Amino acid sequence: MAKNRKGPLTKAHISFELNGEHTEVAFAPHKTLLEVLREDLRLTGTKHGCELGECGTCALLVDGRPVLSCLVLGLACAGRSVRTVEGMASAAGLHPLQEAFAEMGAAQCGYCTPGFLLTAEALLNGNAEPSRDEIKDALAGNLCRCTGYIKIYEAVELAAARMRGEDARPAEKSLYGEV
Amino acid sequence: MAKSDGNGLRVVGRAQRKVDATPKVTGETLFADDLSFPQMVYCKTLRSPHAHARIIRIDTSRAEKEAGVLGVLTGTDLPIPFGILPVSQDEHALALDTVRFIGDPVAAVAAVSEEIAGEAIHLIDVEYEQLREITSVEDALANPEPRIHDYGDSGNLHKLISLEFGTVADGFDAAHLVREDLFFYEGSTHLPIEQHAAVAMYSADHRLTLWSSTQTPHYVHIALEKVLEMPASRIRVIACPNGGGFGGKSDPFSHEIVVSKLAMMTGRPVKATLTREEVFYCHRGRHPTHMWVRTGVTKDGHITAMHFRTALDGGGYGSYGVASTYYTGALQTVTYQVDRYKFEGARAFTNKPPCGPKRGHGTPQPRFALEVQMDKIAEQLKLDPADMRLKHLVPADSLTANYLRVGSMGLAECINKVVTGSNWKERFRRLPHGRGVGIACSSYISGAGLPIYWNNMPHSGVQLQCDRSGGVTVFCGSTDIGQGSDSVLAYIVAEVLGVDPFEIRVVTADTDLTPVDLGSYSSRVTLMSGNAALQAAERARELIAPEVAKQLDVPTSRLVFAESRVFDGENPETGTTFAEAVQAAEAAVGTIGTVGSYTPPASAGRYRGSGVGPSPAYSYSAAVVEVHVEPDSGIVRVPKVWIAHDIGQCINPTTVMGQVEGSVYMGLGEALMEEMAYRANRRVVHKCPSMLEYKSPTTLEMCEVETYLVTDPDPNGPFGAKEVGQGPLLPIMPAVANAVYDAVGVRVDEVPITPEKVLTALKRKANGKEGGGRYGPTHFPEIPWPDPTRVPPPWEGGDGKAIRPSDEDAKAAAVAQPERQH
Ligand code: FES
Ligand code: FES
């Protein structure tokens, strides 16, 4: 422990690709990717629920793979490509997953949402038509305390269908209940 | 724009996005920890390593000298006590002289970085004198000394309640069958995914602003005023959108007061974000509850008398505990008719994190006991448990034995829906060994009839502004914790003024800008702030309509506000845009602004204790749960739940569905795995203050849910709406227990229903041992119950008052308020 710390620690400096843009950042070298993004780059879209690798809230993509950003050092991301929720929407509009989450009410408090969105995006990138069980498996490391996950599965299925080019709509019973 | 449906509503009742859906999916929504300000510094709290100890000495000098440390606080810097209830102002922002659980805040540091603050707290030297820990209700009863608090009903008993509505002994005499059962409900915690965070800023002109992840900014405002001894008018509390609350962010918390004080001391913005471990220590979750229930029934299952005892393990502080204790006895009477009813409830102080209000507040425990006992009774009477319940429902528009006024009552339809949907008749007691179905019902309040501190002002207020551009802004103190309360305001105003809900600006949860709403607790927001918004919007329409009527030369009664226009209903082409309508009104009467407010109807009960239970409207739910039980391992899996909820009227059916599904999920967690467990033999250390060890359902445990929304508009709800945030959780735990019995023939009379408990019960059954086929408590704590307050039920000529009221009763009855400070 730095009990007799004399001055500020020397900052580390990396360059990497963040949401498609070349980015350079300096930060205290012990910082996790989560902290670098939130504190040094002020990108607060990535959330945290434990900072111990237990809840999946901080999930994002590094080189296209879902990663828990609270467990990765910022230093380990030099030269890599990082994708956060801020990179999902574009001038053209929301990403189909974001659109579907909004439409289905899959974001209640919305705190777990960025982690789910990016984990789901990685799933859909590798599997355009996942089954309900494949979706559950892919999202098993992300905790959501509000939704009971059901609207999240439905949103992922809806987005997947639209990304396959189908003119998909939410099932009536998902929005209004059974009759 | 929406088409009108059959009942003339265009916005209300339609599935649509929440007004804040887009910022929530883009990551734009700012939660408290997302805020940062120039020169912001960070706060860390030193917490007690002892469950019960006196603080002999605190030396902060080493911490103060540490480079980067800007301020250090201890209890003596904030000596004024606070607490959510006026009757239990027993907390200090930092322990003054005693620590009461492991994790109790002792000292705090503000430093230029979180790391330095985290290191500096360990430079604070605290000398403790350890006291005997009180670990359980029984321990509290056996050891009145050392007292955890110097107030309460006696020793370490915080609260004792005894109420009797009609003579239960007579009811038991009249019964065909009298059953006594014991139950235990383990404590659990909210586990919101967002850790609590707060940021305070103190300006050079002596104004304090606090941003916090709180469900109750108004109560935080009051606590800050008291503890900081500052006029409330100089304090601004802004509740950020909460990353889930479930009741866990409803108390004023130490860290909120501490960052405020540190901001005042240092002149710098100060932020505190709790670690997940600290969130476990904040707790305020479900009270572990022992229950004893004696119920008398006729041959067809009509309840002639019920005597219900609860003993709650309260943890180290009062929190909402007095209300929680009353709630363990209040709502037993609102589902099935109960002729005579007696309730005895006790809450003990123990040296554990304080318990408080978790989703369902005090009612899941008794509901579990009651619904499992109903299942046992039905079996003994050889009745189908669904049919038996259907036969004895509380009628709509009636008063219960304890003077709760039931309005609309859709439980019959709820039961019918899940019975049909689940194919109950073909499956109950007919599935192969290892598979089973169980049914349970419940009811919940749509807001409490009385405020937390005594006052006769409205519970919710709304201000509405219509500007010349046709823009509408709704201001309300309500707090969106993910349930969609901001959207409810927008939908209701949009319905009345005929504008697009997504065009409405919603400003909420800011004590500087918004009228008071008491907070997001007790499922009160849709009904109360919804009614306030409805009134404000109707008043705005009344201001605007006459001018448009003049211009169009039609009577105001013919005007329709829809599709962002105001037009003649008989001749829709004749009309103006909404913006033009506002302009005409502004020209005629000046700036267009209105207010609305809501105060619940007076409650019928006039006895001491009658303040907990009354509500403007009760929601109802029924659930059938299917389970698969592995007889070799005791593992219980739930493939499917059918649930019907009497919502009165959906404001937005999709968000209602979300609340139902989320409630099923949380109920499943409580039924099968969640427990706030301590190492009793190791000085009540929390067993598992982490998300990995505190088991909660993942996607792999969550079941399929079939949801039925039963609508039967309640006259007290806005457009007839009742609550949905909490009620649908309640039937899940007992329905799981009843289904386990159907599957393998063993009763687990406590939650969580873990594999070990199922297996133990199965072994006992196989061995033919005493108590065979059951796992559950074998005794109820010995509690020195006081003489009951006797209140004759309405059908025995009662008027809601206690018999021979003492002076105290009379005083309390006069204002129908159970627990208030005079
Ligand atoms: S914050 Fe990274 S897994 Fe919880
Ligand atoms: S939406 Fe609140 S935690 Fe998932």
Side-chain angles (χ1 to χ4, degrees):
Chain A
M1 298 300 250
K3 284 210 173 109
N4 301 309
R5 180 178 297 157
K6 292 286 184 305
L9 290 167
T10 314
K11 284 195 171 181
H13 181 275
I14 64 164
S15 56
F16 67 120
E17 192 187 291
L18 176 57
N19 296 324
E21 275 175 32
H22 176 80
T23 304
E24 305 209 3
V25 60
F27 52 89
H30 62 270
K31 281 195 173 184
T32 62
L33 174 57
L34 172 74
E35 292 166 324
V36 173
L37 288 168
R38 288 179 55 84
E39 296 166 10
D40 299 283
L41 289 162
R42 295 279 159 92
L43 282 187
T44 55
T46 306
K47 310 297 179 197
H48 53 82
C50 67
E51 298 175 78
L52 294 166
E54 298 173 351
C55 68
T57 309
C58 64
L60 43 66
L61 305 185
V62 175
D63 294 338
R65 305 260 282 271
V67 153
L68 299 176
S69 63
C70 71
L71 294 185
V72 178
L73 283 177
L75 274 173
C77 298
R80 316 284 286 270
S81 147
V82 173
R83 182 163 163 90
T84 69
V85 69
E86 287 91 348
M88 290 185 81
S90 66
L94 298 178
H95 185 283
L97 275 164
Q98 292 175 309
E99 197 71 47
F101 269 61
E103 201 168 332
M104 299 304 304
Q108 280 189 24
C109 75
Y111 195 82
C112 69
T113 305
F116 272 96
L117 285 170
L118 288 150
T119 311
E121 187 184 26
L123 167 71
L124 297 188
N125 284 343
N127 179 355
E129 196 164 359
S131 66
R132 181 63 69 98
D133 281 341
E134 286 170 328
I135 295 173
K136 287 186 183 179
D137 275 343
L139 301 179
N142 293 70
L143 294 180
C144 171
R145 216 41 190 160
C146 299
T147 61
Y149 306 110
I150 292 171
K151 292 280 173 274
I152 295 176
Y153 309 148
E154 291 170 345
V156 173
E157 286 161 355
L158 184 64
R162 288 173 179 165
M163 286 163 78
R164 294 193 301 269
E166 294 166 26
D167 176 26
R169 278 163 205 282
E172 222 25 32
K173 73 169 201 174
S174 302
L175 301 179
Y176 288 93
E178 309 281 337
V179 279
Chain B
M1 193 67 202
K3 287 266 147 50
S4 162
D5 69 5
N7 53 14
L9 298 174
R10 290 158 196 271
V11 179
V12 165
R14 266 175 46 92
Q16 55 191 320
R17 296 175 190 217
K18 295 199 295 179
V19 296
D20 53 1
T22 301
K24 287 202 166 159
V25 298
T26 57
E28 203 186 302
T29 301
L30 292 178
F31 296 90
D33 187 48
D34 298 337
L35 302 175
S36 63
F37 296 96
Q39 294 199 303
M40 188 170 82
V41 300
Y42 301 85
C43 165
K44 282 281 177 194
T45 299
L46 176 70
R47 291 171 183 271
S48 169
H50 303 298
H52 198 191
R54 233 188 303 280
I55 297 172
I56 304 299
R57 192 180 59 88
I58 303 187
D59 181 355
T60 59
S61 54
R62 287 199 300 147
E64 277 160 29
K65 280 186 217 129
E66 180 76 352
V69 169
L70 298 180
V72 181
L73 287 180
T74 64
T76 49
D77 297 307
L78 292 159
I80 298 174
F82 67 95
I84 184 70
L85 298 187
V87 287
S88 36
Q89 300 281 301
D90 60 2
E91 298 184 52
H92 287 90
L94 299 165
L96 204 51
D97 46 22
T98 307
V99 288
R100 297 182 172 90
F101 66 92
I102 292 175
D104 211 356
V106 173
V109 168
V112 293
S113 76
E114 218 173 343
E115 290 75 24
I116 296 177
E119 285 161 18
I121 55 173
H122 297 296
L123 300 176
I124 297 170
D125 301 303
V126 189
E127 195 185 314
Y128 295 98
E129 178 198 327
Q130 289 197 48
L131 301 169
R132 186 194 190 286
E133 317 66 22
I134 306 295
T135 61
S136 64
V137 172
E138 262 130 353
D139 202 11
L141 285 159
N143 295 286
E145 298 285 338
R147 286 188 90 182
I148 295 176
H149 287 283
D150 58 9
Y151 81 105
D153 279 348
S154 71
N156 282 313
L157 277 178
H158 176 197
K159 184 71 191 170
L160 283 171
I161 299 164
S162 181
L163 296 166
E164 187 166 4
F165 306 92
T167 307
V168 283
D170 295 348
F172 290 124
D173 287 346
H176 164 74
L177 166 73
V178 176
R179 263 202 81 94
E180 270 183 36
D181 287 286
L182 289 161
F183 298 93
F184 176 65
Y185 199 108
E186 181 57 283
S188 56
T189 201
H190 319 81
L191 204 77
I193 304 293
E194 178 204 27
Q195 300 138 280
H196 309 47
V199 188
M201 191 140 82
Y202 190 66
S203 66
D205 60 354
H206 309 298
R207 288 181 181 273
L208 175 72
T209 305
L210 178 78
W211 291 262
S212 183
S213 34
T214 175
Q215 302 178 231
T216 54
H218 176 60
Y219 297 133
V220 173
H221 195 210
I222 291 176
L224 290 177
E225 175 190 29
K226 182 182 182 200
V227 179
L228 300 175
E229 295 181 282
M230 225 176 122
S233 54
R234 306 194 79 86
I235 304 170
R236 177 180 188 185
V237 177
I238 301 171
C240 297
N242 285 204
F246 317 110
K249 296 169 180 168
S250 308
D251 287 60
F253 283 104
S254 156
H255 64 275
E256 295 171 315
I257 298 168
V258 163
V259 291
S260 299
K261 183 74 178 177
L262 285 169
M264 294 167 76
M265 266 173 71
T266 62
R268 306 274 289 266
V270 181
K271 180 195 275 189
T273 303
L274 303 190
T275 64
R276 178 53 59 180
E277 184 178 355
E278 291 179 297
V279 174
F280 276 93
Y281 298 145
C282 279
H283 191 42
R284 322 284 160 154
R286 190 83 72 228
H287 284 76
T289 303
H290 306 265
M291 292 170 283
W292 171 91
V293 198
R294 173 191 277 163
T295 302
V297 291
T298 60
K299 272 191 181 143
D300 68 348
H302 174 82
I303 300 169
T304 57
M306 181 183 289
H307 184 176
F308 214 104
R309 284 182 175 152
T310 63
L312 290 74
D313 181 340
Y317 290 94
S319 181
Y320 284 78
V322 170
S324 317
T325 310
Y326 274 109
Y327 271 123
T328 63
L331 300 189
Q332 276 83 329
T333 55
V334 298
T335 42
Y336 322 114
Q337 279 180 282
V338 178
D339 290 347
R340 298 172 186 82
Y341 178 57
K342 182 169 184 180
F343 168 59
E344 290 168 309
R347 183 181 196 257
F349 285 125
T350 58
N351 292 113
K352 295 187 270 194
C355 296
K358 184 186 172 197
R359 203 173 199 170
H361 194 189
T363 68
Q365 302 97 322
R367 187 48 65 181
F368 174 74
L370 173 54
E371 296 292 324
V372 172
Q373 195 185 48
M374 291 296 281
D375 205 60
K376 298 181 182 185
I377 288 172
E379 181 170 51
Q380 258 180 294
L381 296 176
K382 301 192 168 51
L383 298 172
D384 177 275
D387 291 342
M388 186 183 84
R389 285 172 167 89
L390 272 173
K391 249 188 157 160
H392 304 294
L393 298 180
V394 166
D397 303 314
S398 64
L399 268 186
T400 66
N402 54 342
Y403 289 87
L404 304 181
R405 198 186 300 284
V406 172
S408 64
M409 204 286 187
L411 185 51
E413 197 181 339
C414 291
I415 295 174
N416 289 330
K417 288 280 187 200
V418 294
V419 162
T420 308
S422 67
N423 204 6
W424 172 261
K425 298 277 175 191
E426 302 303 313
R427 306 177 79 205
F428 178 64
R429 297 287 189 263
R430 292 182 185 197
L431 292 172
H433 187 71
R435 293 180 54 196
V437 286
I439 190 167
C441 304
S442 65
S443 175
Y444 200 65
I445 55 172
S446 306
L450 289 161
I452 279 176
Y453 66 98
W454 170 245
N455 72 83
N456 51 14
M457 291 177 281
H459 292 210
S460 194
V462 160
Q463 283 185 331
L464 195 75
Q465 172 192 303
C466 300
D467 63 63
R468 302 175 180 189
S469 65
V472 177
T473 311
V474 190
F475 299 88
C476 180
S478 58
T479 303
D480 203 312
I481 61 171
Q483 84 282 44
S485 58
D486 280 7
S487 301
V488 166
L489 292 170
Y491 300 145
I492 287 178
V493 171
E495 180 67 53
V496 176
L497 296 181
V499 295
D500 182 339
F502 294 88
E503 293 297 315
I504 292 175
R505 296 171 293 244
V506 181
V507 178
T508 50
D510 181 329
T511 60
D512 259 17
L513 303 181
T514 61
V516 168
D517 172 86
L518 293 179
S520 287
Y521 64 95
S522 83
S523 270
R524 49 177 300 289
V525 185
T526 292
L527 189 138
M528 300 201 190
S529 70
N531 273 324
L534 180 60
Q535 186 179 59
E538 281 173 345
R539 287 174 174 172
R541 199 173 54 184
E542 281 161 24
L543 281 180
I544 296 166
E547 293 317 307
V548 181
K550 253 187 245 166
Q551 278 188 0
L552 304 183
D553 197 21
V554 293
T556 50
S557 59
R558 258 175 43 195
L559 289 182
V560 175
F561 284 64
E563 298 173 18
S564 296
R565 291 178 70 233
V566 185
F567 55 88
D568 178 2
E570 290 181 8
N571 185 10
E573 281 72 52
T574 309
T576 66
T577 65
F578 180 73
E580 286 162 353
V582 174
Q583 288 159 16
E586 188 172 339
V589 301
T591 307
I592 304 298
T594 58
V595 296
S597 52
Y598 180 76
T599 308
S603 34
R606 313 275 310 268
Y607 55 91
R608 187 172 172 80
S610 63
V612 175
S615 176
Y618 297 88
S619 75
Y620 290 89
S621 316
V624 169
V625 168
E626 181 180 345
V627 298
H628 292 183
V629 182
E630 273 178 27
D632 298 339
S633 65
I635 290 176
V636 178
R637 290 200 177 82
V638 175
K640 188 156 181 177
V641 169
W642 294 260
I643 184 160
H645 183 72
D646 165 23
I647 178 72
Q649 160 74 45
C650 293
I651 302 293
N652 176 350
T654 307
T655 53
V656 172
M657 295 277 295
Q659 288 301 313
V660 174
E661 290 165 1
S663 292
V664 170
Y665 151 87
M666 204 167 266
L668 216 55
E670 292 193 22
L672 297 176
M673 62 190 87
E674 294 188 30
E675 45 189 334
M676 188 79 174
Y678 301 86
R679 300 169 202 264
N681 55 347
R682 295 247 223 101
R683 306 200 163 262
V684 275
V685 177
H686 194 290
K687 226 182 203 170
C688 46
S690 87
M691 288 175 119
L692 195 62
E693 294 303 320
Y694 180 91
K695 303 295 179 208
S696 67
T698 70
T699 55
L700 302 179
E701 285 82 33
M702 183 56 192
C703 60
E704 205 184 312
V705 181
E706 225 157 78
T707 302
Y708 303 83
L709 303 180
V710 169
T711 53
D712 169 17
D714 189 283
N716 284 338
F719 299 98
K722 304 197 279 191
E723 78 86 37
V724 62
Q726 312 194 58
L729 177 146
L730 302 169
I732 302 304
M733 296 71 70
V736 169
N738 293 341
V740 167
Y741 180 69
D742 189 45
V744 289
V746 298
R747 291 284 180 190
V748 179
D749 287 336
E750 63 173 68
V751 296
I753 301 169
T754 57
E756 296 88 320
K757 293 175 190 172
V758 175
L759 211 51
T760 305
L762 283 167
K763 280 188 190 143
R764 283 181 188 157
K765 190 182 179 194
N767 297 343
K769 279 216 183 110
E770 218 184 307
R774 176 178 181 267
Y775 186 99
T778 51
H779 66 283
F780 184 82
E782 286 283 324
I783 292 172
W785 300 111
D787 282 341
T789 299
R790 293 178 198 284
V791 186
W795 41 88
E796 289 178 18
D799 60 359
K801 290 191 195 137
I803 300 173
R804 285 194 305 275
S806 65
D807 287 353
E808 209 178 27
D809 285 332
K811 231 193 295 168
V815 291
Q817 170 75 3
E819 301 294 337
R820 71 181 174 95
Q821 229 173 21
H822 293 273

